Amino acid sequence: HTEDELSRSSHSNAGKSLVNGIKTNPASNSPKSGLPVPMGPPVYVDLAYIPNHCSGKNTDPEFFKRVRASYYVVSGNDAANGEPSRAVLDALLEGKSQWGENLQVTLIPTHDTEVTREWYQQTHEKQQELNIMVLASSSTVVMQDESFPACKIEF
């Protein structure tokens, strides 16, 4: 390559950044900006933390189609900011329904919120159909003089 070609190629990437590993234009703040997501096989993991405190800003059914976890941690306790997002919880159901295999999935909410309680009650049959178990976020461990919220995960 000539010096001019190298200079042009480095400038062509100057205004781009990575969002979830995908090059994006900084004018777009969202990976849902219409850019094609490269196709590939799903990724299987033991534990996945749902991004952005379970906000609907960057997690959709495509996330759950491609990131297949035995356990998903759902954080978020800020109803004013839409956390956790009902749309994200529904996206889990939609994404998992397209897996084509009935692997057990456990959803671990870190907070007991009205959104997660309502979602659990309204979609309980669908959860059972898809082999999704939701752990009670009010689980506690009591040790001598103290008690604290806890969740046991076995691999």
Side-chain angles (χ1 to χ4, degrees), residues 10 27 42 53 57 60 74-75 84 123-124 130 133 146 155:
S10 65
H53 302 286
K57 295 176 184 169
D60 59 10
V74 176
S75 182
T123 64
H124 188 70
L130 294 172
M133 180 176 69
E146 65 178 310
F155 295 97

Side-chain angles (χ1 to χ4, degrees), residues 15 17 19 49 55 59 71 75-77 82 85 87 93 105-106 109 114 122 124 126 131-132 137 141 151-152:
S17 62
V19 174
Y49 178 86
S55 165
T59 305
Y71 300 88
S75 182
N77 192 21
S85 167
L93 298 175
V105 166
T106 302
E114 187 175 331
Q122 294 169 358
H124 188 70
K126 185 72 170 174
N131 204 14
I132 297 173
S137 58
V141 171
C151 178
K152 179 180 178 184

Side-chain angles (χ1 to χ4, degrees), residues 78-135:
D78 187 356
N81 284 319
E83 300 168 3
S85 167
R86 169 70 189 247
V88 173
L89 298 171
D90 289 339
L92 167 63
L93 298 175
E94 183 180 335
K96 179 141 184 346
S97 71
Q98 297 181 32
W99 286 12
E101 51 194 330
N102 198 20
L103 300 174
Q104 169 74 46
V105 166
T106 302
L107 191 66
I108 306 167
T110 61
H111 295 88
D112 185 20
T113 67
E114 187 175 331
V115 170
T116 53
R117 279 192 310 270
E118 285 180 4
W119 176 83
Y120 176 80
Q121 292 170 351
Q122 294 169 358
T123 64
H124 188 70
E125 285 182 29
K126 185 72 170 174
Q127 295 166 41
Q128 288 180 321
E129 176 186 315
L130 294 172
N131 204 14
I132 297 173
M133 180 176 69
V134 180
L135 292 183

Side-chain angles (χ1 to χ4, degrees), residues 139-151:
S139 299
T140 28
V141 171
V142 178
M143 296 179 66
Q144 295 176 353
D145 295 334
E146 65 178 310
S147 67
F148 48 89
C151 178

Side-chain angles (χ1 to χ4, degrees), residues 13 15-19 22-31 33 35:
N13 290 329
K16 297 188 178 185
S17 62
L18 292 177
V19 174
I22 301 169
K23 286 185 182 179
T24 63
N25 186 329
S28 167
N29 293 333
S30 169
S33 64
L35 292 173

